[in-house]
Amino acid sequence: MTPGPDATDPQRWARAQERIEDLLLGGPRTMTRGEVHERTGLSPEHTARLWSALGFPTTPDDLRGFAEADLEALELSGRLLDTDTFDAAEELAVARALGQGLGRLAEWQANLVRRTIVDAGRADDPDAVVAAVETLVPTLERLQSYVWRRHLAVTAGRILSGLADPDGEGAGGNRTVVGFADIVGFTRLSRQIDETELRSLLERFETVCTEIVARRRGRIVKTLGDEILFVCERVEDAVDIAFRLHEQVPDDDGQVTLRVGMALGEVLPRYGDVYGPVVNIAARLTSEARPGSVLVDEDLTEALRATDLDLEIRAVPQLAVRGYRHLRPHVVRERSSS
């Protein structure tokens, strides 16, 4: 019987890596850094800054580490500068946002491929790795493009609505509700359960939070492990998000309990994230909130009192936290839950 190929042969794994890179980059890496500079006309300093902003490691000058796809991306970036779409600072900021966001996505997708191979019992076969990439990546790429376009359509619609009706209903002007929800005692809990249970807990947390926020016209800005940061235009939607999170996220075993903090004010949107004092206040309120409660700042309290919602709003002692010495928060509850 003829023995099969040796799965431990380093050359087989090297060839598999080359095939995957060719698939993902549209061809082999044939150019040095100097050749890229010659063909793009961009300065070495410019391309180095852009490459680092995208999150890629530095490539030695004598290494042929660049493919035609890399050249095309740099030329596209240069074209945006030529048309005054971006200035140099904005170009780097966009590159950082893309690099960080898509880097996390790529990490997740690579682990998805790995789990697919391991579950199939073919983790020792480099050909199986290549086959999995060839099968999954085109589908993921199409889905990724669709989701991005769909989100862009929703966001563009929201922006256009605001321009057409700047005095319309909502939180008021440019004011936004910013909220945090985090799992109480997560560090202790993570030490008590195994990796499989922890993954399941986090996946459930993210899934339920995503569904609740999306259904009530909010947006999750980012997930920070055991915590989400979300924003919402209407105070009615925001407080309903908080109540539904407390209602649906806790598990039957009583291991997962949330605390929620929210504040109302103007935010600075920047490359998908949000900044400003209101974000810091919401974060401080979350850290001070009791398990199972919703703690809101004074501005959001006033806005909620102006609605027709049936709420119980109770003042709590003034807080002195880092950066804010005179916070006057309130606990908000639904009347039916009291």
Side-chain angles (χ1 to χ4, degrees), residues 194-238:
D194 60 28
E195 182 180 341
T196 300
E197 292 174 310
L198 181 60
R199 182 184 299 115
S200 177
L201 184 153
L202 289 174
E203 287 180 353
R204 181 179 178 278
F205 170 66
E206 292 180 10
T207 298
V208 175
C209 289
T210 299
E211 290 177 354
I212 290 172
V213 173
R215 286 177 181 173
R216 288 154 182 84
R217 297 178 288 274
R219 178 173 70 90
I220 292 183
V221 176
K222 55 188 172 185
T223 303
L224 308 168
D226 62 329
E227 181 177 60
I228 64 165
L229 164 58
F230 65 92
V231 293
C232 203
E233 293 183 0
R234 300 178 69 249
V235 298
E236 295 90 342
D237 291 329

Side-chain angles (χ1 to χ4, degrees), residues 43-261:
S43 71
E45 295 78 12
H46 184 176
T47 56
R49 287 195 300 270
L50 186 59
W51 199 249
S52 296
L54 287 167
F56 301 133
T58 302
T59 303
D61 290 340
D62 59 348
L63 180 68
R64 295 192 176 277
F66 298 91
E68 289 291 333
D70 300 317
L71 187 72
E72 182 180 359
L74 291 171
E75 289 175 338
L76 286 173
S77 183
R79 194 179 306 166
L80 291 173
L81 287 176
D82 291 340
T83 58
D84 293 330
T85 302
F86 300 141
D87 60 24
E90 287 174 325
E91 179 195 35
L92 293 178
V94 169
R96 283 194 298 271
L98 286 173
Q100 292 169 10
L102 294 179
R104 290 182 59 193
L105 185 61
E107 185 75 21
W108 168 77
Q109 290 171 340
N111 280 312
L112 175 64
V113 172
R114 180 183 64 82
R115 289 203 303 271
T116 300
I117 298 166
V118 170
D119 292 345
R122 301 190 65 187
D124 59 348
D125 183 359
D127 292 332
V129 178
V130 175
V133 171
E134 290 175 337
T135 300
L136 290 174
V137 166
T139 302
L140 289 172
E141 184 175 24
R142 290 180 62 188
L143 180 60
Q144 187 172 300
S145 178
Y146 159 74
V147 173
W148 168 69
R149 287 178 176 274
R150 197 70 172 84
H151 272 295
L152 194 58
V154 172
T155 303
R158 186 169 63 243
I159 291 173
L160 290 173
S161 295
L163 292 174
D165 186 16
D167 298 321
E169 294 183 0
N174 294 320
R175 298 202 299 172
T176 299
V177 180
V178 177
F180 286 87
D182 77 347
I183 299 174
V184 178
F186 179 76
T187 301
R188 173 186 52 79
L189 178 60
S190 64
R191 292 172 180 165
Q192 297 174 347
I193 58 179
D194 60 28
E195 182 180 341
T196 300
E197 292 174 310
L198 181 60
R199 182 184 299 115
S200 177
L201 184 153
L202 289 174
E203 287 180 353
R204 181 179 178 278
F205 170 66
E206 292 180 10
T207 298
V208 175
C209 289
T210 299
E211 290 177 354
I212 290 172
V213 173
R215 286 177 181 173
R216 288 154 182 84
R217 297 178 288 274
R219 178 173 70 90
I220 292 183
V221 176
K222 55 188 172 185
T223 303
L224 308 168
D226 62 329
E227 181 177 60
I228 64 165
L229 164 58
F230 65 92
V231 293
C232 203
E233 293 183 0
R234 300 178 69 249
V235 298
E236 295 90 342
D237 291 329
V239 75
D240 192 43
I241 286 172
F243 294 151
R244 300 294 79 77
L245 288 172
H246 279 310
E247 178 181 88
Q248 298 179 32
V249 170
D251 58 354
D252 295 335
D253 298 330
Q255 289 183 303
V256 178
T257 304
L258 297 184
R259 54 188 173 193
V260 177

